Amino acid sequence: MAITRVTQNMISQQSLTSLQGGLAKLATLQEQLSTGRVLNRPSDSPADTTSAMRLRSSLADTVQYGRNASDGNGWLTQIDSALDSAGNGVQRARDLALQGANEGAMGAAAREALASEVDQIRIGMIDTANTTYLGRPVFGGITAGSQAYDASGAYVGTPGAVERTVAEGIVVRVDMEGAVPFGAAGDSVFEHLENLSVALRAGDQAGITAALDDLNADRDQISAARSEIGGRQIRVETSLQQAQDRELALTTQLSEVENADLPKVIVDLQMQQTAYQASLAATARVMQPSLADFLR
Amino acid sequence: MGGTFASLNTALSALQYNRVALDVASGNIANATTEGYARRRVQAESIGAPAQPAMWSRYPVGGGDGVQVAGIDRMTDPLLDVRARREHGNQAYLDIRQSSLERLEAGVGEPGDTGVAAALDDFRAAWHDLANNPGSSAARAQVLAKATTLADAIGIQSRNLEAEAGDQRVRVESDVAEVNTLASDLAATNRSIAIANLNGTDAGILLDKRDQLALRLSELTGATATLRSDGGFDVHVNGVALVVGKDAGALEIASGITPGGGSDGNPVAFQITDTSGTTAVPAGMTGEIGGLADMLNTTLPAYAAGLDAVAQQLADEVNTAHQAGYDLAGNPGTAFFSYNPADPAGSIAVALSDPDLVAASSVAGGVLDGSNATALSGATSADESYQRLVNGLGTEVASARRLAANQEALTQQVDSSREQLSGVSLDEEMVSMLASQRAYEAASRVMTTVDSVLDTLINRTGLVR
């Protein structure tokens, strides 16, 4: 643009415009500095806004998956410790059965003592099978009740899977149906213990031996169930670890998209301030003189 | 060659001319910062010999060699004025668009922790928590609370849109009123200019006023002004005559806005009524009113429709999934969200009030199954639609801002060109004032000299002491 004729108004207008421009840039930097974000509204960068919204959404999901996994881990830990004590109970009952099978040394009173201990073990075993996590029986499926087994050892739960989503598309079952470790109705560990107790009281060697075989099978069954739970627990813990790692990675990415690079903003601000002061000084010098100063 | 006293008359004409030149300089200095004032320049003209020299041809009465005022020029360029009006109209159009879009954008609040996107994330998380704990009434109540927050967040955006549209409708009404005042002022000015031209009086101030009125009309409506032979302006809005000579038509809102500032459901359109009848103004006006009409007819409804689609998608998808499940008592789930199909975003609300009615289970019979809650956590893809909507808005705002900034550079350049021609330079006026002053002094000296020459001739010639 060729300027042929400059007027005082032009100078003041141009000074005002450039001062305004400098102030506007200062205000933008000031906003970035005080909010700590370069992305304050969608129009700052529409593409980054979409990324930020996606990252925020993924981040929320990941945090939630972590919570789901922790909760699932609680269930599985509870089941594991229940199965541990159930295994010990069966082991003890086997020992008692072996003692009872040693017929020469056993009087009726001794067998009665063994039988009553077996009864106690059975009651303890039913208690173990009714283990709850946050008020829900872990072997009871999706029952709304508080028990998986009643006092007689009959299953009162509702079969159904309790599942936790521990990652996008990854669902882990965190309960265990009672029949898996304890046997189905008619062939359950509670009935085997009852049979053993009856056989001990009656001195029925064949019955004791049969119960001993059943208990061996039960012991294997419980430890198989325990190893399955262990496997699931590893999956859940891995997912939990992954969720935590991913949370960190997503937070970093989000911050890269949204947050201001503080050193850069501060340097920019400093430069902009200098430029603004320079234009203020220039304005003051240019607007001051007039021909009237030099004419008399 | 004149007679004995001709030089006195010549000096007199110089005194007269230089007084006018001083007057003009003082007028320019007085109006140095007056908006719309174009500097004046006095044109001098030497009084010379008659065009046809002849033995008895005479100089004009009171003449002789000398100077006279040929006219006072108003330093403007009609071409630049036309250009300025057009650029100011475009500038006003883009500015109003930018400011309105920026207000809308500020109300969206993305990306952040309080917007619709964050509410959607919370809503999803609440379903997961319920899936983890289907028997907990706290988790159920939490789902309802998060859903209410989500519905409110959508509703707030919808109401922001409504409020923005309402503000703009009011603005259109006041702008139209201003246009009509300006049009009748311009018509009156046109009339005065025509009379002044007939009388031969100076119309400079009227021309300043005319230019200012036309510029403001262009800013408001993108109107074009054409020069009449009598010195006035004819103004057309998008091809329809608004001011013709001394007659002004009235710009009216044809549809879209009720007298109370509400919406009548139709697109905003304008018409001009004058003595010859009513003519519809074609769509595509620029200027402030054009920008407002575009926002009201296109931009705001498009965003509202996008938001409606998001709300409807959310409600429909969640309802479908919710109705596939069973509530705490084992009864089939009912609709989770309710909305009015005519205005989904404005009316979306949670239909359930009892937390027990949340259908977390996919098994009937009142068991503690959470699989339907898990399904519900992933039931809706409304968040993706919403992201697209926000992305679209952000792009539009960024583009409006860029366009306005570009236009501003152009407008400033045109304004600066006008200022170069029409602006008052104090230094220049000071110099011309000084020149006039010196010329005035010199002319006075001529008079004194002639006077003393005549004194010598009349009083001293032929006397012998």
Side-chain angles (χ1 to χ4, degrees):
Chain A
M1 180 173 72
I3 298 178
T4 52
R5 185 171 170 277
V6 179
T7 71
Q8 272 74 14
N9 254 347
M10 271 168 76
I11 293 179
S12 58
Q13 275 301 329
Q14 268 167 12
S15 304
L16 266 182
T17 310
S18 48
L19 287 181
Q20 275 295 316
L23 263 185
K25 282 185 197 138
L26 268 182
T28 310
L29 289 170
Q30 171 65 27
E31 184 191 33
Q32 289 182 0
L33 202 57
S34 58
T35 59
R37 295 160 51 125
V38 282
L39 206 57
N40 286 299
R41 55 189 70 75
S43 62
D44 286 344
S45 170
D48 281 353
T49 302
T50 311
S51 306
M53 286 167 77
R54 281 185 183 281
L55 286 170
R56 279 170 176 272
S57 172
S58 299
L59 189 59
D61 285 348
T62 305
V63 171
Q64 185 60 42
Y65 291 143
R67 284 159 61 109
N68 293 354
S70 298
D71 183 73
N73 203 11
W75 278 73
L76 292 171
T77 308
Q78 195 72 315
I79 292 175
D80 185 58
S81 76
L83 291 180
D84 183 33
S85 72
N88 289 339
V90 171
Q91 188 63 40
R92 175 70 187 148
R94 269 187 73 248
D95 291 350
L96 295 174
L98 284 172
Q99 280 183 39
N102 199 349
E103 63 186 308
M106 284 286 161
R111 283 203 309 274
E112 174 59 32
L114 289 180
S116 70
E117 186 171 351
V118 168
D119 288 344
Q120 288 307 315
I121 289 173
R122 180 172 169 274
I123 292 169
M125 189 79 87
I126 291 174
D127 276 352
T128 303
N130 278 329
T131 300
T132 59
Y133 181 70
L134 297 179
R136 292 185 64 185
V138 292
F139 296 106
I142 54 174
T143 179
S146 58
Q147 283 192 320
Y149 288 89
D150 67 7
S152 71
Y155 185 67
V156 294
T158 313
V162 175
E163 292 171 330
R164 292 292 173 265
T165 312
V166 293
E168 185 79 48
I170 297 183
V171 174
V172 177
R173 182 166 181 180
V174 298
D175 73 324
M176 178 162 263
E177 205 169 314
V180 175
F182 303 120
D187 187 25
S188 72
V189 64
F190 314 115
E191 282 152 331
H192 299 152
L193 288 170
E194 175 136 37
N195 293 345
L196 175 60
S197 152
V198 169
L200 280 171
R201 282 203 173 85
D204 172 5
Q205 286 301 325
I208 294 174
T209 312
L212 194 56
D213 290 345
D214 285 340
L215 286 175
N216 279 337
D218 287 338
R219 188 188 59 186
D220 293 348
Q221 198 171 293
I222 288 173
S223 64
R226 220 183 144 188
S227 75
E228 190 196 326
I229 292 294
R232 287 197 224 159
Q233 213 164 359
I234 288 171
R235 280 178 72 195
V236 168
E237 278 167 3
T238 311
S239 299
L240 185 59
Q241 188 59 48
Q242 279 171 353
Q244 282 164 356
D245 291 351
R246 202 167 134 72
E247 189 181 334
L248 187 64
L250 285 172
T251 313
T252 313
Q253 284 179 36
L254 184 63
S255 145
E256 271 171 20
V257 173
E258 274 192 355
N259 289 2
D261 177 359
L262 281 188
K264 181 178 178 301
V265 174
I266 290 172
V267 169
D268 285 353
L269 187 74
Q270 207 66 48
M271 281 168 59
Q272 197 56 50
Q273 256 171 358
T274 312
Y276 181 61
Q277 278 165 1
S279 64
L280 278 179
T283 306
R285 295 175 74 93
V286 168
M287 308 245 294
Q288 197 62 43
S290 147
L291 193 56
D293 298 338
F294 303 98
L295 296 178
R296 280 192 322 105
Chain B
M1 186 55 211
T4 313
F5 300 108
S7 299
L8 275 179
N9 275 329
T10 304
L12 177 64
S13 76
L15 290 184
Q16 283 167 341
Y17 166 75
N18 282 308
R19 279 188 53 188
V20 173
L22 268 177
D23 279 353
V24 168
S26 90
N28 280 342
I29 290 171
N31 287 299
T33 55
T34 306
E35 189 75 19
Y37 178 81
R39 81 187 153 104
R40 311 287 201 267
R41 198 170 60 185
V42 62
Q43 287 283 14
E45 177 177 72
S46 61
I47 303 170
Q52 295 291 330
M55 174 146 332
W56 301 109
S57 62
R58 304 289 299 266
Y59 291 110
V61 177
D65 291 322
V67 66
Q68 69 178 3
V69 176
I72 294 176
D73 284 355
R74 215 173 135 261
M75 303 300 288
T76 56
D77 178 354
L79 223 60
L80 268 182
D81 287 352
V82 168
R83 183 82 196 276
R85 280 193 289 275
R86 187 169 69 238
E87 302 308 345
H88 275 267
N90 290 341
Q91 179 80 62
Y93 173 86
L94 291 169
D95 281 351
I96 199 93
R97 223 179 126 65
Q98 182 197 347
S99 62
S100 165
L101 277 168
E102 280 180 348
R103 275 197 301 278
L104 183 62
E105 186 191 30
V108 169
E110 303 290 355
D113 301 326
T114 51
V116 171
L120 267 166
D121 291 343
D122 285 352
F123 180 61
R124 239 190 351 263
W127 281 116
H128 273 295
D129 282 340
L130 177 59
N132 291 348
N133 220 341
S136 154
S137 56
R140 286 172 177 273
Q142 193 67 1
V143 165
L144 291 188
K146 297 294 184 197
T148 311
T149 310
L150 175 58
D152 286 351
I154 295 177
I156 286 171
Q157 274 203 27
S158 170
R159 280 185 285 282
N160 275 348
L161 270 175
E162 269 306 304
E164 181 62 32
D167 288 353
Q168 302 206 354
R169 280 192 290 267
V170 172
R171 178 114 191 224
V172 167
E173 287 187 323
S174 64
D175 278 358
V176 164
E178 187 180 348
V179 164
N180 288 330
T181 315
L182 290 169
S184 54
D185 282 0
L186 182 59
T189 309
N190 278 347
R191 189 182 149 87
S192 306
I193 291 172
I195 292 172
N197 278 349
L198 282 177
N199 293 350
T201 46
D202 179 28
I205 293 170
L206 291 169
L207 295 180
D208 283 348
K209 192 176 169 197
R210 174 201 70 182
D211 284 357
Q212 250 184 313
L213 289 170
L215 182 63
R216 181 68 188 144
L217 271 175
S218 295
E219 274 178 0
L220 285 172
T221 62
T224 54
T226 42
L227 189 62
R228 294 168 61 85
S229 56
D230 62 9
F233 268 162
D234 284 348
V235 171
H236 290 79
V237 176
N238 217 6
V240 181
L242 178 64
V243 179
V244 178
K246 60 180 177 42
D247 298 316
L251 183 68
E252 291 158 356
I253 296 166
S255 67
I257 301 174
T258 61
S263 165
D264 71 0
N266 296 316
V268 178
F270 299 94
Q271 61 190 24
I272 291 177
T273 301
D274 57 14
T275 46
S276 65
T278 299
T279 319
V281 179
M285 281 165 68
T286 57
E288 212 171 293
I289 295 181
L292 291 169
D294 258 17
M295 287 300 292
L296 282 170
N297 289 344
T298 314
T299 311
L300 292 180
Y303 189 80
L307 195 62
D308 280 345
V310 168
Q312 189 159 10
Q313 183 186 7
L314 170 72
D316 288 350
E317 284 172 351
V318 169
N319 283 352
T320 307
H322 193 252
Q323 281 160 346
Y326 298 89
D327 65 17
L328 192 59
N331 300 316
T334 53
F336 189 83
F337 282 116
S338 66
Y339 66 89
N340 170 7
D343 177 24
S347 62
I348 186 167
V350 180
L352 306 178
S353 53
D354 181 359
D356 289 355
L357 294 180
V358 175
S361 165
S362 20
V363 183
V367 291
L368 293 185
D369 176 43
S371 50
N372 200 47
T374 305
L376 273 157
S377 72
T380 179
S381 51
D383 49 349
E384 284 170 21
S385 314
Y386 180 69
Q387 282 165 12
R388 276 197 297 278
L389 182 67
V390 170
N391 184 310
L393 176 70
T395 311
E396 191 150 7
V397 179
S399 126
R401 192 177 295 154
R402 244 188 333 268
L403 286 176
N406 288 349
Q407 179 66 45
E408 190 164 342
L410 186 57
T411 312
Q412 266 174 13
Q413 197 258 319
V414 172
D415 280 352
S416 160
S417 302
R418 283 181 84 203
E419 178 69 21
Q420 279 180 41
L421 179 69
S422 307
V424 175
S425 160
L426 291 177
D427 297 343
E428 193 181 82
E429 299 307 328
M430 206 85 79
V431 168
S432 69
M433 212 161 72
L434 210 63
S436 308
Q437 188 188 356
R438 290 299 181 202
Y440 192 92
E441 285 169 9
S444 309
R445 175 56 60 89
V446 168
M447 249 180 199
T448 318
T449 310
V450 172
D451 185 40
S452 85
V453 168
L454 289 178
D455 181 47
T456 309
L457 179 70
I458 295 166
N459 295 331
R460 316 238 173 102
T461 310
L463 287 184
V464 179
R465 299 203 173 149

